Amino acid sequence: MIRLAIPSEGQGGLDGMRAGHFGHCDVFTCIDVENGQIKQVSILPNKEHVQGGCMVPVNLLAEAGVNALVVGGIGMRPLMGFRQVGIEVFHDGVRPEIRPVVEDFLAGKLPQITNDQVCGGGGH
């Protein structure tokens, strides 16, 4: 089973909007996938992200059993943290809607993020 997390604005959900900066998102939309099919969608509230606290969401998602994440942008420190806890990080920097990004993830169309795609933090 895959538990995919998408940084989300507001209440999140499959029909919600993605957050530009994963560490400052309101919630994470978590999608449980089995045999390529969505089995369950749940919402995981984010914890407060303070300056230098990039590992807070890493630990939160790891504790929630997440093993894949799609971001529009991410800094090197949290990317390394996700890799250390076994969470694969995928990249889609274009679309703000959650559903088409999840559909592309399920179809294997999203690439894993590379070190040269990281950013310095802040807005994207």
Side-chain angles (χ1 to χ4, degrees):
M1 187 181 85
I2 296 171
R3 175 165 278 177
L4 173 66
I6 310 277
S8 309
E9 295 180 355
Q11 299 298 309
L14 205 51
D15 293 315
M17 301 298 280
R18 295 172 57 206
H21 187 276
F22 88 94
H24 293 280
C25 68
D26 297 318
V27 298
F28 292 95
T29 298
C30 297
I31 299 107
D32 292 343
V33 178
E34 195 172 327
N35 299 322
Q37 300 294 315
I38 296 172
K39 294 297 181 186
Q40 181 176 326
V41 177
S42 58
I43 304 303
L44 178 64
N46 195 7
K47 293 186 178 178
E48 185 176 351
H49 180 93
V50 295
Q51 189 66 27
C54 296
M55 294 304 288
V56 171
V58 171
N59 294 327
L60 175 69
L61 294 176
E63 290 167 7
V66 169
N67 50 22
L69 172 71
V70 177
V71 298
I74 192 169
M76 184 60 81
R77 235 176 103 212
L79 178 59
M80 293 295 107
F82 282 121
R83 288 177 178 165
Q84 287 174 351
V85 298
I87 296 175
E88 294 182 283
V89 182
F90 296 84
H91 184 252
D92 180 298
V94 180
R95 293 161 303 171
E97 301 90 3
I98 292 171
R99 186 178 295 273
V101 172
V102 171
E103 289 170 352
D104 277 358
F105 175 83
L106 294 175
K109 295 180 181 178
L110 297 184
Q112 284 196 1
I113 199 162
T114 60
N115 290 352
D116 62 347
Q117 291 175 303
V118 298
C119 61
H124 299 283

